[in-house]
Amino acid sequence: MKGVEVGPEEDGSVPTLRLAGIGQLAEIDEDAFTDGAFILSIGGAQQSHVDLVNPGNVFYEYLRRIANVLDIFKPAGKPIRVLHLGAGALTLARYVQAKRPGSDQVAVELERELLDFVLEHLPLPAGTRCSLVIDDARAALDRFEPESFDAVVLDVFAGADAPAHLTEDAFYRALTALTAPGGVVLVNVGDDPPLTFARAQARLLREAADDVALLADAGMVSGRMAGNVVLVGTDRLWPADWTPKLVAAGPHPGVVVTGPELASFCTAQQ
């Protein structure tokens, strides 16, 4: 992506768009610390970080944890099929293309104008094979045949006020049904203490998948700290060798919680 000029408008102003659907302002600012990187904010809150020069650079911690799983669950460098539910600025789609060229991807986003705005100012790297679908995350699942993807990434939750139809057992079972043998379901859950919502989502994924791991900052597991946890559902027993690889990959201090410890997290008194 070197040589691609994306950034402020010709008059030096920051690209902005008032999103009609939610009435909030979307804007794309240059990252003051990383040349060629940009930050998408909505309603004044940072939503996505994109490094156009180096798409393999994932800045946000929870996305880095998801990216680490995408690195190890299949042989390195091999193309994979990925469904992204919640497109944002397509940070992970860019990452997959950089690390696994030739991958087939689908990104689902509810707000068409947001996706158009992102692609106008932060175009995807040449050669990226990513179909874009404007739809609700649950409704979009009906477009695909079972076992259509190697990885399904759900990144739509904004805390406990998430749409109810995305927090039901049937939805999680639909996610796992879309993954091919050996695939993974990755769910980002942001929450505040005592992590009531995150614990509920972990329980739902444990019911739908054969095994589940939780990836997070070490301080999150106690339930006394706000932030993001990443849930990883598999169709087999969690591979023991994944744990040290993911811990070593960071961000630090990070933990991978499985088995009885995860069961305790799910059922802890709140």
Side-chain angles (χ1 to χ4, degrees):
M1 289 298 295
K2 289 185 178 180
V4 175
E5 297 183 1
V6 179
E9 306 289 9
E10 292 183 2
D11 63 0
S13 62
V14 173
T16 61
L17 174 70
R18 179 69 62 179
L19 300 171
I22 58 177
Q24 293 185 328
L25 189 70
E27 56 185 337
I28 296 175
D29 297 279
E30 293 185 56
D31 183 338
F33 302 100
T34 305
D35 291 339
F38 300 85
I39 299 169
L40 168 68
S41 299
I42 300 176
Q46 293 186 3
Q47 299 290 327
S48 301
H49 182 279
V50 172
D51 190 333
L52 293 182
V53 176
N54 178 19
N57 174 31
V58 176
F59 182 75
Y60 291 159
E61 289 192 2
Y62 83 88
L63 283 179
R64 181 68 258 173
R65 298 188 201 282
I66 292 175
N68 292 340
V69 176
L70 295 176
D71 283 344
I72 70 170
F73 88 111
K74 294 288 185 181
K78 299 294 185 181
I80 55 176
R81 300 166 297 166
V82 187
L83 173 62
H84 305 270
L85 298 171
L90 298 163
T91 302
L92 277 180
R94 302 169 197 271
Y95 181 85
V96 170
Q97 170 61 21
K99 297 296 184 178
R100 297 179 177 274
S103 293
D104 286 311
Q105 304 187 72
V106 178
V108 177
E109 172 58 52
L110 188 59
E111 300 284 345
R112 177 182 295 276
E113 57 185 350
L114 175 60
L115 199 53
D116 289 343
F117 176 64
V118 166
L119 292 174
E120 176 185 356
H121 296 283
L122 305 172
L124 289 172
T128 302
R129 294 157 58 174
C130 185
S131 301
L132 305 176
V133 175
I134 307 301
D135 206 345
D136 170 78
R138 176 62 186 93
L141 301 188
D142 295 332
R143 297 170 178 258
F144 310 110
E145 296 295 325
E147 301 183 0
S148 292
F149 300 97
D150 300 305
V152 176
V153 180
L154 177 65
D155 189 9
V156 299
F157 292 140
D161 58 349
H165 67 290
L166 303 183
T167 63
E168 299 172 341
D169 177 71
F171 178 60
Y172 276 87
R173 293 190 182 279
L175 294 181
T176 58
L178 286 181
T179 57
V184 292
V185 173
L186 299 121
V187 182
N188 169 49
V189 187
D191 203 6
D192 296 316
L195 306 187
T196 302
F197 181 68
R199 297 178 201 276
Q201 303 318 299
R203 290 194 295 270
L204 286 169
L205 187 55
R206 290 185 80 211
E207 289 293 324
D210 288 343
D211 206 356
V212 173
L214 180 150
L215 283 58
D217 182 284
M220 287 290 295
V221 181
S222 69
R224 296 190 295 269
M225 183 175 151
N228 295 70
V229 301
V230 173
L231 305 173
V232 187
T234 62
D235 65 350
R236 52 180 166 150
L237 189 66
W238 177 259
D241 64 319
W242 286 11
T243 295
K245 292 177 182 178
L246 293 172
V247 171
H252 306 292
V255 292
V256 176
V257 181
T258 59
E261 189 178 354
L262 179 60
S264 295
F265 172 84
C266 292
T267 59
Q269 296 296 318
Q270 301 159 36

